[in-house]
Amino acid sequence: MKFLARNNRIKKSTLLFILLLFISSVLIMSSDRGRESLRISEIGFSFLSFFQKGFSYTTSFFVETVNSINELRKIKAEYVKLLERLSVYESLEKDHFALIRENDELRNQLMFSSRTRAEKIPAQIIGHDSGIFYNTITIDKGRRHGVTSNMPVVAFQDGFQGLVGRVVEVGRSSSKIIPLYDRKFSVAARLHDSRHEGLVSGTGRNSPLIRMSHVSKSASDRIGYNDLVITSGLSSVYPPGIFVGRVRGVGARGHEPSLELELEPVIDFSRLEFVFVLIKGSTYEEE
């Protein structure tokens, strides 16, 4: 009996031990699974976090790129507007200086007009023409303004009132002038100081020099560089006292009894804009 009782106690102890061992194993396994689940959660969270960061960076980059493009478009549009505004300002500045220059020129012409008693018609040059027979200058005054053929034309430039030419063709609202430098042009003239006379004619082109022929050789000692030549008035076309040119050279041929002078016109035709047509019969006098 004692032996059986002891045997039963051993069995119970063994079963209890096995049961405790089983419960411990289950608890350990549960603990390990929890750690593994925790690791999987951590890995999943890290991956999700990386994906969110990447998505956020891409979105920010795309938004910033779009904003930059928009900003560049705005800057370009403003740049174009500024260029247009600058062009307008430059145009206004050019117009401003052009008006100042034109006003100065008109003031000079008005001053010249008030200094002479001759009746005259102010005109503006609107064209140049190199024809077969002669060169012409076109002005914006014609028959309806009182212009007639063979009227002398003068201009004021650099303090001098100089001869430009004479009217050869007249239209209703415009006229043509044969200029001083044309080969077919001629005018009786004299040296301002020595009073020796001659005939001034053009060389056939718009050159810096014209010529004065038939000047007496006796005047050679009394002619100097830069001496002024004026109209003599020995013509029914040109009144006396209009400046023609300045002496730039003196020449003579041995067998000829006269001198030939090279003259530079008082008027610079390359920058001539305004002229005055002198009315026939009026006296050309400077006050």
Side-chain angles (χ1 to χ4, degrees):
M1 293 293 294
K2 290 180 180 181
F3 175 77
L4 290 173
R6 183 181 177 187
N7 193 18
N8 288 332
R9 283 197 300 270
I10 292 172
K11 287 181 180 181
K12 288 180 180 179
S13 299
T14 301
L15 290 172
L16 181 60
F17 175 75
I18 292 172
L19 180 60
L20 292 174
L21 182 61
F22 176 76
I23 292 171
S24 299
S25 299
V26 171
L27 292 174
I28 293 171
M29 290 178 64
S30 298
S31 176
D32 292 338
R33 287 177 182 175
R35 291 194 187 94
E36 290 177 359
S37 299
L38 182 59
R39 292 195 190 97
I40 292 172
S41 299
E42 290 176 353
I43 294 171
F45 179 76
S46 298
F47 178 77
L48 181 61
S49 177
F50 175 78
F51 178 78
Q52 288 176 339
K53 289 180 179 179
F55 179 77
S56 176
Y57 175 79
T58 304
T59 303
S60 299
F61 176 77
F62 178 76
V63 171
E64 290 177 359
T65 302
V66 172
N67 290 336
S68 298
I69 293 173
N70 291 333
E71 287 295 327
L72 287 174
R73 287 177 179 172
K74 291 180 181 178
I75 292 172
K76 184 179 179 180
E78 291 176 359
Y79 176 72
V80 171
K81 289 181 180 179
L82 287 174
L83 286 179
E84 292 175 351
R85 191 176 301 173
L86 179 62
S87 178
V88 171
Y89 288 155
E90 289 177 348
S91 178
L92 290 174
E93 183 179 15
K94 290 179 181 178
D95 292 342
H96 174 70
F97 285 114
L99 286 173
I100 291 176
R101 185 189 60 78
E102 186 174 352
N103 286 337
D104 290 341
E105 182 64 25
L106 289 173
R107 189 179 296 109
N108 290 334
Q109 299 301 320
L110 181 62
M111 180 177 64
F112 161 67
S113 179
S114 63
R115 283 171 52 182
T116 58
R117 294 178 181 176
E119 295 183 61
K120 45 197 170 295
I121 303 168
Q124 185 172 5
I125 293 175
I126 58 175
H128 296 265
D129 182 31
S130 297
I132 298 175
F133 300 104
Y134 48 77
N135 300 296
T136 58
I137 298 172
T138 305
I139 59 174
D140 64 348
K141 295 295 188 295
R143 191 178 300 109
R144 72 186 186 92
H145 303 97
V147 179
T148 60
S149 184
N150 286 327
M151 280 185 169
V153 181
V154 298
F156 181 81
Q157 197 176 81
D158 298 331
F160 285 93
Q161 57 273 25
L163 183 63
V164 174
R166 64 181 171 86
V167 178
V168 291
E169 295 181 29
V170 182
R172 184 176 183 275
S173 300
S174 63
S175 303
K176 289 187 177 181
I177 301 166
I178 182 172
L180 176 66
Y181 55 80
D182 188 82
R183 190 184 299 276
K184 290 185 176 294
F185 181 90
S186 62
V187 57
R190 63 163 50 101
L191 289 157
H192 184 271
D193 294 332
S194 69
R195 313 305 289 179
H196 283 84
E197 296 178 353
L199 184 67
V200 173
S201 58
T203 58
R205 61 188 184 278
N206 189 358
S207 68
L209 299 177
I210 53 179
R211 61 175 176 263
M212 182 176 181
S213 57
H214 307 296
V215 180
S216 174
K217 278 190 175 181
S218 62
S220 59
D221 294 336
R222 302 182 61 185
I223 299 174
Y225 182 84
N226 215 37
D227 281 356
L228 287 167
V229 174
I230 59 175
T231 56
S232 64
L234 301 178
S235 168
S236 60
V237 177
Y238 307 99
I242 304 174
F243 288 100
V244 177
R246 301 178 180 87
V247 175
R248 289 293 182 259
V250 180
R253 296 179 181 177
H255 62 280
E256 292 185 355
S258 61
L259 301 173
E260 184 172 285
L261 311 182
E262 288 186 334
L263 307 179
E264 179 185 8
V266 169
I267 298 300
D268 182 357
F269 287 85
S270 66
R271 56 189 181 92
L272 188 61
E273 297 181 70
F274 301 96
V275 297
F276 293 91
V277 181
L278 301 183
I279 296 175
K280 288 182 179 180
S282 62
T283 303
Y284 185 86
E285 295 180 0
E286 186 175 353
E287 293 182 346

